[in-house]
Each structure stands twice: as structure tokens, then as C-alpha cells.
């Protein structure tokens, strides 16, 4: 009952009961944009790896298969790809900017369209329609009741057999069973996954797939971000105890 402030060092807020905090008048400080650039870099890295088969080629060489089998199977170019981003917040926007530099065409889905004066990307109110017009879907939204399994069987079917999924958001944003089924059956071409539904457990089916790149929910973690988030956490705590505004408060509309 004495709780007055919650400070989280996580990129997301799905582990904090924001509505109850708002009801009790408990202030919440998040990570702000501390991790945004690192996560955006990681998303692009996963996409490049899946398309150009970098990890697969590394395994091919290390296993001594190059002399025996000749060249590795061909990958696919990134430039010119139509990329749909689910969630055009801080992270999604930075991913879009990076992929624009590769010559990709960017579209997006969010709760609402962004101001067209600052965001020129095409907006899709439907994730299925976004998938129909994309070669790649990148999941960069928060996890809540509205976005759980936002990528489901129907979205994967709309993306199609040449499509690629990258998820750097939360495992629950993607229907993992439907994803595995699509990958096994050739319904989509590949996936780059940093997050999973039951971490740290990863489905065995994914571990054996050459067209899937897996990382251990590490998109946020760099030497620089670890230092930055420590400074931010201390700064928020100092602000709270000194009666000053929090450095990275969670806005009231995010808590309702």
C-alpha cells in the first residue's frame, strides 16, 4: 500500500499492470528510447541473415561441406524488398529508416495512422492487408490483449511462400504454432526470431530449420545499452526521491 513508484529496465511494459498502477496513483518509469537503436539494428541484422543465409553459410563452411558440395544455396537480396512494420513506434521508426537506406519500400500497421506530415509510409489499418502487400513483416509492437497473436495463420497465409517474418517484439505477438506450421509446409520462406512464447524454451522444430535464425532475446543488449539503462534507472530513482519529474515516465494514456 505504500508503493508510489515502479521503475523498469525492460524495453516493454507487458509485465507491469499499468491499469492498476494508474488506479493506485503509482508512477511508472520505463526504459524510454534507450534500447530503440540497438533493437532496430538487431532487426535489420536478423533480416539480412535470413535473406542472405549468413548463419546457414557459416555452418556450411564450418562443417566442411564447401569442398564436398560446392557452392551454398542462393540467398535473396534485401534491396527493393517491400517491408511491412507492425508497430511504428520508436523502434519501428528506426527500423524503417535503416531499411530505407537499403532501398526498401516501407509500409506499416499501428493502432492509428501517424501524422502524414512527418511519416510518409503507407498505412494499413489491417495487418492482413499489410501482409498481402509485403515481402517481409517485422513485428515491433508492444504486447497487450489487442496484439497477442497479431501475426496468426491468416496473416502468414497472406504473406505467402516467399515471405519472411522478423520478430523483435514479444513472443506472444506471433502465433508460434502457426508459424512453425507455415515454415514446415513452405507457407513462408523464413524467419528471424529474437523472442519466443515460452522463453527460454524454444520449440525443437525451429532448432532444426536452416531457414530460421534464432537469438536469445538479446536485441536490447549491448555494452552501451547496459551502461545507458543503468544511468537512466539511477536517474529515475533520484528524481522520484527528490520529488522531481521522472526522466522517462509512462504516459497516462499508456496506462489505461
Amino acid at each position: 500500500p505504500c508503493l508510489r513508484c515502479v521503475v523498469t529496465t525492460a524495453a516493454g511494459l507487458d509485465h507491469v499492470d499499468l491499469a492498476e498502477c494508474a488506479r493506485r496513483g503509482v508512477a511508472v518509469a520505463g526504459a524510454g528510447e534507450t534500447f530503440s537503436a540497438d533493437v532496430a539494428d538487431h532487426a535489420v541484422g536478423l533480416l539480412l541473415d535470413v535473406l542472405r543465409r549468413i548463419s546457414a553459410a557459416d555452418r556450411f563452411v564450418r562443417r566442411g561441406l564447401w569442398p564436398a558440395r560446392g557452392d551454398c544455396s542462393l540467398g535473396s537480396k534485401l534491396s527493393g524488398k517491400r517491408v511491412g512494420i507492425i508497430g511504428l513506434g520508436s523502434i519501428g521508426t528506426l527500423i524503417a529508416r535503416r531499411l530505407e537506406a537499403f532501398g526498401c519500400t516501407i509500409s506499416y500497421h499501428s493502432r492509428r495512422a501517424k501524422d502524414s506530415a512527418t511519416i510518409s509510409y503507407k498505412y494499413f489499418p489491417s495487418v492482413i492487408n499489410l501482409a498481402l502487400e509485403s515481402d517481409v513483416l517485422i513485428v515491433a509492437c508492444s504486447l497487450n490483449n489487442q496484439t497477442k497473436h497479431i501475426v496468426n495463420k491468416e496473416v502468414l497465409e497472406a504473406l505467402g511462400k516467399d515471405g519472411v517474418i522478423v520478430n523483435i517484439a514479444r513472443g506472444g505477438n506471433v502465433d508460434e504454432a502457426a508459424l512453425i506450421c507455415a515454415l514446415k509446409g513452405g507457407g513462408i520462406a523464413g524467419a528471424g526470431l529474437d523472442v519466443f512464447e515460452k522463453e527460454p524454451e524454444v520449440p525443437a522444430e525451429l532448432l532444426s530449420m536452416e531457414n530460421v535464425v534464432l537469438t536469445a532475446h538479446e536485441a536490447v543488449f549491448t555494452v552501451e545499452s547496459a551502461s545507458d539503462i543503468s544511468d537512466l534507472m539511477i536517474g529515475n530513482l533520484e528524481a522520484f526521491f527528490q520529488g522531481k519529474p521522472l526522466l522517462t515516465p509512462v504516459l497516462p494514456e499508456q496506462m489505461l
Side-chain angles (χ1 to χ4, degrees), residues 49-76:
D49 197 334
V50 174
L51 290 175
R52 296 304 307 270
R53 298 178 53 81
I54 296 169
S55 292
D58 177 79
R59 292 190 293 270
F60 185 82
V61 173
R62 291 176 187 274
R63 292 169 183 166
L65 299 177
W66 191 7
R69 297 186 184 177
D71 291 340
C72 238
S73 56
L74 296 177
S76 179

Side-chain angles (χ1 to χ4, degrees), residues 26-231:
V26 177
V28 179
E33 298 182 2
T34 303
F35 299 122
S36 297
D38 295 298
V39 177
D41 290 348
H42 198 85
V44 174
L46 285 173
L47 178 55
L48 272 169
D49 197 334
V50 174
L51 290 175
R52 296 304 307 270
R53 298 178 53 81
I54 296 169
S55 292
D58 177 79
R59 292 190 293 270
F60 185 82
V61 173
R62 291 176 187 274
R63 292 169 183 166
L65 299 177
W66 191 7
R69 297 186 184 177
D71 291 340
C72 238
S73 56
L74 296 177
S76 179
K77 68 191 297 182
L78 173 56
S79 57
K81 287 287 189 290
R82 300 171 302 162
V83 178
I85 299 175
I86 302 174
L88 201 70
S90 172
I91 292 170
T93 300
L94 290 177
I95 292 171
R97 290 175 183 168
R98 283 155 171 73
L99 290 175
E100 274 190 299
F102 281 92
C104 295
T105 301
I106 309 297
S107 302
Y108 73 100
H109 166 82
S110 282
R111 285 175 294 178
R112 61 186 69 89
K114 304 296 182 181
D115 184 353
S116 59
T118 56
I119 298 293
S120 60
Y121 313 131
K122 185 176 181 179
Y123 171 70
F124 285 85
S126 161
V127 177
I128 289 179
N129 288 339
L130 176 66
L132 284 168
E133 296 295 323
S134 299
D135 303 307
V136 176
L137 279 184
I138 298 180
V139 186
C141 58
S142 59
L143 178 61
N144 52 47
N145 292 335
Q146 289 71 46
T147 61
K148 181 175 174 61
H149 289 183
I150 194 169
V151 175
N152 55 22
K153 180 176 180 287
E154 291 72 26
V155 171
L156 293 167
E157 288 175 349
L159 182 61
K161 64 181 180 62
D162 296 321
V164 169
I165 286 279
V166 171
N167 188 7
I168 44 74
R170 287 290 185 271
N173 292 124
V174 175
D175 184 337
E176 210 165 73
L179 175 63
I180 291 170
C181 185
L183 287 163
K184 289 172 68 175
I188 64 172
L193 307 173
D194 184 54
V195 289
F196 308 90
E197 288 208 75
K198 297 180 180 178
E199 296 174 4
E201 301 300 322
V202 177
E205 296 97 325
L206 293 174
L207 299 177
S208 62
M209 293 180 180
E210 286 291 303
N211 59 338
V212 177
V213 178
L214 309 170
T215 55
H217 201 151
E218 62 191 52
V220 301
F221 296 123
T222 62
V223 173
E224 293 84 358
S225 69
S227 174
D228 291 343
I229 197 64
S230 296
D231 292 342

Side-chain angles (χ1 to χ4, degrees), residues 237-254:
L237 290 171
E238 288 178 340
F240 172 74
F241 286 114
Q242 292 170 13
K244 297 178 180 178
L246 297 174
L247 302 182
T248 50
V250 177
L251 301 177
E253 55 264 32
Q254 294 176 265

